[in-house]
């Protein structure tokens, strides 16, 4: 029994698989990171690489649109030459001209000062005698002062200055200062100081009258001591001028018109031609490079999609089946992209509009979730861009096709609606293609692109209509079309239930109506609820006559059984139902609803009977009388639980009373709902109390329409038939005749 309980519990959680969910996520990761890049690499095997610069071109390649390519190396070389020809911008060094002249004046001022005699000592003059002039500093003293002030001035020049008489000194002083002024008026840079002074003195010494030997002995050393640059280079102005010179040089480029050969078979490939092929995406690529690019792109897609599903679609993220299916659909799309690339010449755009991206979007929307289908735009565009890197129009077409097809695949009510949706999507493909080519070009391929998009629409319909039933069954997904197929009462399980347990079949049909109506009231999935209700009692096929609704003209077999045995038989119909649903590959969501349509409630009639026989509740194990299923984990399953017990209880009451008042129905439903709330049966579902109230109202209103009082027909033909005697202990019986008590509904 323990294994059976585990089976039912697992069925209650559609996201659980027999193996670890992380194993399935690992499989999905391998598909996206290994299989998809490998498929994209196949296209590179047929794409021969273009010869390198200086080699012969292996084939003729023409431009598919006007193409202008610049040679960056040649352009940069020309611009560097222009910048080098620009003269440096210079600026005067502030205050430097005046400082040079003042420094030269300072030398001669000091010489004049050291020559002045000192003052006479007091008391040395005799009365009546003429005062004697004080003696000036000695030659050695004068030289010492000058050496101390100007240590870099040669000794010969210092001695020459001291030895000059006053007249000669005045001439030398005047000429030297004039030469310093002449030098200061020139624009002299750092590396021009020496040459500028030499040029000046070479000219001036020939025209100026200087005392003999003073030109080279005094004037030159003094000037050499103080001359320095009067100008400096302005780095910012020079940089601006060089940049202006660079900008004035035009780029070295070449232009190819559409249809013009970029390289010709057998001719040498030039640098510009190789650059043009690379820019146009016509140069070809190695298989390894294509694999690495595809791997990087899919790793990015995987990371973004994983975070998106984890945060925005947690139910899809929790479903290992859907994660693997999503990766397989993307891999299939990659195979189609590769197939188109094998038959499309490099640079040709039109046939890329044949890629049936709409099929990817519609399959993801129908099998997984419409929001996830919108997100599938990312891998779809990435895969196309990897194969046609410069086809902006194709990328826009891919995104537009996804945005068109996802809304068309929503709110379908039949397979006819699905066929209509694929037809409308097919009609939209040429329109999107025409707009994309009209905006992004090349317009020369407009009609070819429209024709490819028309074939795209046909391929879309074939893929969606052909693959959808196969994938639905393979992954047991509760899509609209799969549920519509299950809602067909010609399904083998429904036919078997009708044949072997007609009463349970009729009960299931009524519960399906109640569930569908209540689900629609709270915004849950009415089709899912209806299908789950139709199949919720298929476990009764195994032993139909142990349930009151299937007992016609036979004694109640529970009359001869112990309460514990009867309870096990009643509870086993949930376990048997889960097993049968799994064998017939019903979607796990439906299997979960079957396993939870009684929750973990107590089979009250047989429990009470066992207590009565034992004499005290402590002598009976209550857990032995609880259903081995699970609590509802979805709103649809919770609604089914309420509809099932409400229909069974009111039907049992109607068998005794004939008709029921609204008050009796309300009292019964309220009591049943409250008992299940108190027992925690809705704790694992996301059904709110407001939704619970609306479900209750919907069920009451529907049951009132079935069991409301009717007028008495003449002869008692309708409405006044004597109530049938209910059989105690049957799973469909309401407890002794208190309306609304907890029932062990069928």
């Amino acid at each position: 029994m323990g294994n059976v309980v585990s089976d039912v519990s697992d069925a209650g959680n559609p996201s659980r698989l027999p193996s670890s969910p992380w194993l399935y996520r690992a499989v999905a990761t391998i598909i996206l990171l290994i299989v998809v890049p490998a498929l994209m690499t196949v296209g590179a095997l047929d794409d021969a690489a273009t010869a390198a610069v200086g080699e012969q071109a292996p084939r003729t390649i023409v431009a598919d649109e006007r193409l202008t390519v610049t040679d960056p190396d040649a352009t940069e070389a020309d611009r560097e030459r222009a910048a080098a020809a620009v003269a440096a911008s210079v600026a005067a060094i502030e205050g430097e001209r005046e400082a040079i002249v003042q420094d030269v004046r300072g030398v001669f001022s000091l010489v004049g000062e050291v020559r002045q005699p000192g003052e006479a000592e007091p008391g040395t003059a005799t009365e009546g005698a003429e005062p004697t002039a004080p003696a000036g500093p000695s030659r050695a003293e004068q030289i010492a002062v000058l050496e101390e002030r100007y240590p870099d001035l040669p000794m010969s020049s210092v001695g020459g200055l001291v030895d000059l008489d006053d007249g000669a000194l005045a001439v030398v002083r005047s000429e030297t200062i004039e030469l310093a002024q002449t030098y200061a008026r020139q624009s002299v840079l750092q590396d021009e100081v020496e040459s500028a002074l030499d040029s000046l003195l070479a000219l001036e010494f020939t025209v100026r009258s200087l005392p003999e030997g003073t030109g080279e002995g005094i004037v030159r050393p003094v000037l050499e001591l103080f001359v320095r640059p009067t100008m400096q280079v302005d780095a910012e102005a020079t940089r601006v001028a060089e940049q202006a010179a660079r900008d004035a040089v035009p780029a070295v480029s070449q232009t190819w018109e559409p249809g013009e050969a970029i390289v010709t078979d057998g001719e040498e490939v030039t640098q510009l031609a190789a650059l043009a092929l690379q820019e146009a995406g016509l140069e070809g690529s190695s298989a390894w490079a294509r694999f690495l690019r595809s791997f990087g792109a899919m790793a990015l897609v995987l990371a973004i999609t994983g975070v998106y599903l984890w945060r925005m679609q947690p139910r899809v993220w929790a479903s290992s089946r859907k994660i693997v299916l999503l990766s397989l659909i993307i891999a299939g799309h990659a195979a189609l992209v590769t197939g188109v690339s094998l038959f499309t010449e490099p640079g040709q755009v039109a046939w890329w509009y044949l890629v049936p991206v709409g099929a990817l979007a519609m399959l993801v929307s129908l099998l997984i979730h419409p929001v996830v289908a919108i997100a599938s735009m990312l891998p779809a565009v990435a895969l196309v861009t990897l194969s046609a890197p410069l086809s902006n129009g194709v990328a826009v077409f891919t995104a537009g096709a996804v945005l068109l097809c996802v809304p068309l695949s929503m709110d379908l009510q039949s397979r006819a609606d699905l066929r209509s949706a694929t037809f409308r999507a097919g009609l939209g493909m040429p329109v999107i293609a025409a707009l994309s080519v009209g905006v992004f070009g090349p317009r020369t391929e407009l009609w070819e692109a429209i024709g490819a998009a028309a074939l795209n629409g046909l391929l879309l319909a074939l893929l969606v209509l052909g693959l959808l039933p196969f994938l639905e069954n393979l992954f047991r997904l509760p899509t609209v079309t799969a549920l519509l197929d299950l809602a067909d009462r010609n399904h083998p399980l429904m036919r078997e239930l009708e044949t072997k347990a007609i009463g349970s079949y009729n009960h299931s049909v009524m519960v399906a109506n109640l569930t569908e109506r209540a689900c629609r009231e709270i915004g849950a999935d009415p089709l899912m609820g209806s299908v789950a209700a139709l199949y919720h009692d298929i476990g009764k096929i195994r032993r139909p006559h142990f349930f009151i609704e299937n007992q016609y003209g036979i004694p109640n077999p529970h009359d001869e059984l112990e309460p514990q045995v009867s309870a096990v038989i009643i509870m086993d119909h949930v376990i048997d139902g889960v097993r049968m649903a799994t064998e017939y590959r019903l979607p796990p969501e439906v299997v979960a609803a079957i396993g939870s349509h009684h929750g973990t409630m107590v089979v009250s009639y047989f429990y009470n009977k066992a207590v009565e026989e034992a004499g005290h509740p402590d002598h009976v194990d209550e857990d032995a009388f609880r259903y081995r299923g699970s609590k509802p984990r979805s709103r649809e399953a919770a609604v089914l639980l309420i509809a099932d017990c409400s229909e069974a209880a009111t039907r049992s009451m109607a068998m005794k009373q004939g008709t029921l008042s609204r008050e009796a129905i309300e009292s019964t439903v309220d009591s049943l709902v409250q008992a299940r709330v108190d027992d925690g049966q809705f704790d694992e579902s996301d059904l709110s109390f407001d939704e619970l109230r609306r479900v209750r109202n919907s069920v009451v209103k529907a049951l009132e329409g079935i069991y409301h009082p009717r007028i008495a027909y003449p002869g008692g033909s309708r409405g006044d038939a004597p109530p049938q005697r209910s059989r105690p202990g049957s799973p469909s019986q309401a407890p002794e005749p208190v309306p609304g008590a907890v029932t062990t509904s069928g």
Side-chain angles (χ1 to χ4, degrees):
M1 183 66 71
N3 293 336
V4 174
V5 174
S6 177
D7 291 343
V8 176
S9 178
D10 288 351
N13 186 353
S15 66
R16 292 188 59 180
L17 292 175
S19 300
S20 170
W22 291 106
L23 175 61
Y24 288 83
R25 285 178 172 78
V27 171
T29 301
I30 292 173
I31 292 173
L32 292 178
L33 295 185
I34 303 299
V35 176
V36 171
L39 289 171
M40 300 301 294
T41 304
V42 174
L45 299 178
D46 190 54
D47 188 9
T50 302
V53 176
E55 298 182 1
Q56 291 184 343
R59 55 195 172 98
T60 298
I61 304 176
V62 299
D64 57 350
E65 58 186 5
R66 194 174 192 272
L67 182 64
T68 299
V69 177
T70 300
D71 187 337
D73 295 336
T75 301
E76 185 62 23
D78 287 353
R79 290 175 176 172
E80 286 299 323
R81 283 192 292 270
V86 175
S89 297
V90 296
I93 302 176
E94 186 177 357
E96 200 70 2
R97 300 176 189 272
E98 295 81 358
I100 294 172
V101 177
Q102 291 301 323
D103 289 342
V104 173
R105 288 181 186 276
V107 174
F108 291 99
S109 295
L110 182 61
V111 172
E113 291 176 4
V114 299
R115 284 185 176 222
Q116 296 299 322
E119 297 181 357
E121 295 183 5
T124 58
T126 58
E127 184 176 352
E130 292 292 333
T132 60
S138 65
R139 181 176 185 274
E141 291 174 337
Q142 294 180 36
I143 290 174
V145 172
L146 290 174
E147 282 185 336
E148 181 181 0
R149 178 73 63 84
Y150 301 105
D152 294 332
L153 192 64
M155 277 293 300
S156 60
S157 300
V158 173
L161 284 169
V162 172
D163 294 338
L164 288 175
D165 58 33
D166 291 342
L169 178 62
V171 172
V172 171
R173 177 180 183 276
S174 175
E175 294 294 339
T176 304
I177 291 174
E178 286 184 8
L179 288 172
Q181 292 172 337
T182 301
Y183 175 88
R185 284 191 290 269
Q186 295 179 349
S187 297
V188 182
L189 295 173
Q190 177 66 49
D191 56 353
E192 299 173 348
V193 172
E194 185 176 351
S195 61
L197 181 62
D198 290 342
S199 299
L200 174 66
L201 296 182
L203 175 63
E204 294 294 334
F205 282 172
T206 61
V207 297
R208 293 182 182 273
S209 298
L210 290 168
E212 184 178 358
T214 59
E216 294 292 335
I218 296 176
V219 175
R220 180 183 289 275
V222 170
L223 291 176
E224 287 179 345
L225 183 62
F226 296 111
V227 294
R228 47 191 180 270
T230 60
M231 305 292 288
Q232 63 183 357
V233 175
D234 188 337
E236 179 61 22
T238 302
R239 186 192 65 77
V240 171
E242 290 176 348
Q243 187 59 47
R246 287 190 182 94
D247 294 341
V249 176
V252 179
S253 63
Q254 184 175 347
T255 299
W256 289 268
E257 298 298 332
E260 184 179 353
I262 300 175
V263 294
T264 304
D265 186 11
E267 291 187 357
E268 183 178 337
V269 178
T270 65
Q271 175 70 22
L272 277 174
L275 292 172
L277 294 175
Q278 182 178 1
E279 183 172 330
L282 304 175
E283 80 283 8
S285 60
S286 68
W288 180 244
R290 175 72 69 87
F291 181 86
L292 291 179
R293 285 199 301 270
S294 302
F295 178 87
M298 294 314 299
L300 180 62
V301 168
L302 179 63
I304 295 175
T305 305
V307 173
Y308 174 83
L309 293 178
W310 174 51
R311 298 293 298 174
M312 303 299 295
Q313 292 293 320
R315 290 195 175 184
V316 175
W317 175 251
S319 174
S320 300
R321 294 174 298 128
K322 291 183 178 180
I323 293 295
V324 174
L325 175 59
L326 178 61
S327 64
L328 287 175
I329 293 176
I330 293 175
H333 181 70
L336 293 172
V337 170
T338 299
V340 172
S341 69
L342 292 175
F343 297 99
T344 303
E345 289 294 328
Q348 188 178 14
V349 174
W351 286 108
W352 284 107
Y353 291 93
L354 182 61
V355 177
V357 65
L360 164 71
M362 296 190 81
L363 287 173
V364 174
S365 178
L366 292 167
L367 294 169
I368 301 175
H369 196 281
V371 176
V372 180
I374 293 293
S376 69
M377 183 192 308
L378 175 62
V381 172
L383 292 173
V384 170
T385 305
L386 284 171
S387 297
L390 296 179
S391 299
N392 296 329
V394 177
V396 172
F397 169 80
T398 301
V402 172
L403 294 177
L404 170 68
C405 292
V406 172
L408 291 176
S409 62
M410 298 172 63
D411 299 326
L412 303 181
Q413 300 299 321
S414 65
R415 289 201 179 272
D417 289 345
L418 176 61
R419 289 191 293 269
S420 175
T422 57
F423 176 74
R424 285 180 289 169
L427 292 180
M429 294 300 146
V431 176
I432 301 176
L435 293 174
S436 300
V437 175
V439 174
F440 296 97
R443 297 179 183 176
T444 55
E445 298 185 31
L446 175 62
W447 292 108
E448 291 88 341
I450 292 176
L455 293 176
N456 184 330
L458 178 61
L459 186 58
L460 179 154
L462 293 175
L463 288 173
V464 172
L465 297 177
L467 290 177
L468 186 61
F470 170 74
L471 294 175
E472 287 172 344
N473 183 64
L474 179 64
F475 288 89
R476 299 170 60 198
L477 295 171
T479 64
V480 172
T481 52
L483 292 176
L484 288 172
D485 288 342
L486 292 175
D488 184 356
R489 296 176 191 176
N490 287 317
H491 189 280
L493 275 175
M494 284 287 96
R495 294 294 297 272
E496 188 175 2
L497 180 64
E498 182 182 16
T499 301
K500 296 181 179 179
I502 184 63
S504 298
Y505 173 83
N506 291 329
H507 161 72
S508 298
V509 171
M510 294 187 67
V511 172
N513 292 333
L514 295 176
T515 304
E516 180 178 357
R517 176 188 175 92
C519 285
R520 190 175 290 110
E521 181 67 25
I522 64 172
D525 188 343
L527 184 56
M528 169 64 75
S530 175
V531 170
L534 283 176
Y535 289 84
H536 80 280
D537 268 349
I538 57 175
K540 294 180 179 179
I541 293 174
R542 181 182 174 194
R543 287 179 285 201
H545 299 300
F546 282 89
F547 300 90
I548 185 62
E549 67 267 24
N550 300 315
Q551 296 171 3
Y552 302 104
I554 62 173
N556 189 343
H558 292 286
D559 294 341
E560 300 176 0
L561 298 177
E562 294 294 327
Q564 292 85 347
V565 177
S566 294
V568 170
I569 293 174
I570 297 302
M571 293 186 297
D572 276 354
H573 88 276
V574 174
I575 298 171
D576 293 337
V578 168
R579 285 175 172 168
M580 295 178 68
T582 303
E583 290 173 2
Y584 277 83
R585 298 189 59 78
L586 268 60
E589 290 80 358
V590 175
V591 178
I594 295 173
S596 66
H597 78 274
H598 283 297
T600 57
M601 292 292 293
V602 173
V603 185
S604 58
Y605 179 85
F606 295 113
Y607 172 73
N608 293 332
K609 185 176 180 181
V611 170
E612 181 180 349
E613 292 179 357
H616 195 278
D618 292 342
H619 299 157
V620 179
D621 182 10
E622 182 181 293
D623 290 340
F625 290 86
R626 283 190 177 274
Y627 280 97
R628 295 328 193 242
S630 61
K631 296 178 181 180
R633 295 189 177 118
S634 67
R635 293 191 298 171
E636 293 81 9
V639 172
L640 170 59
L641 186 151
I642 296 171
D644 179 39
C645 65
S646 298
E647 197 285 328
T650 52
R651 174 165 45 82
S652 179
M653 293 170 59
M655 290 172 64
K656 300 176 182 179
Q657 303 176 26
T659 59
L660 300 176
S661 65
R662 179 179 178 85
E663 291 73 14
I665 295 174
E666 288 181 335
S667 176
T668 300
V669 174
D670 288 343
S671 178
L672 294 171
V673 171
Q674 188 60 50
R676 281 147 183 78
V677 171
D678 294 341
D679 201 40
Q681 296 301 310
F682 304 116
D683 291 349
E684 298 182 16
S685 72
D686 53 0
L687 192 68
S688 68
F689 280 105
D690 178 65
E691 291 172 335
L692 188 62
R693 176 186 57 81
R694 286 189 281 165
V695 169
R696 174 264 187 198
N697 293 340
S698 175
V699 171
V700 167
K701 187 174 182 180
L703 291 174
E704 182 185 14
I706 299 172
Y707 299 115
H708 65 280
R710 297 174 175 84
I711 63 172
Y713 286 84
S717 60
R718 298 210 35 187
D720 57 353
Q724 300 179 12
R725 178 180 180 274
S726 61
R727 302 176 186 271
S730 70
S732 294
Q733 177 190 14
E736 297 291 320
V738 179
V742 178
T743 178
T744 61
S745 64

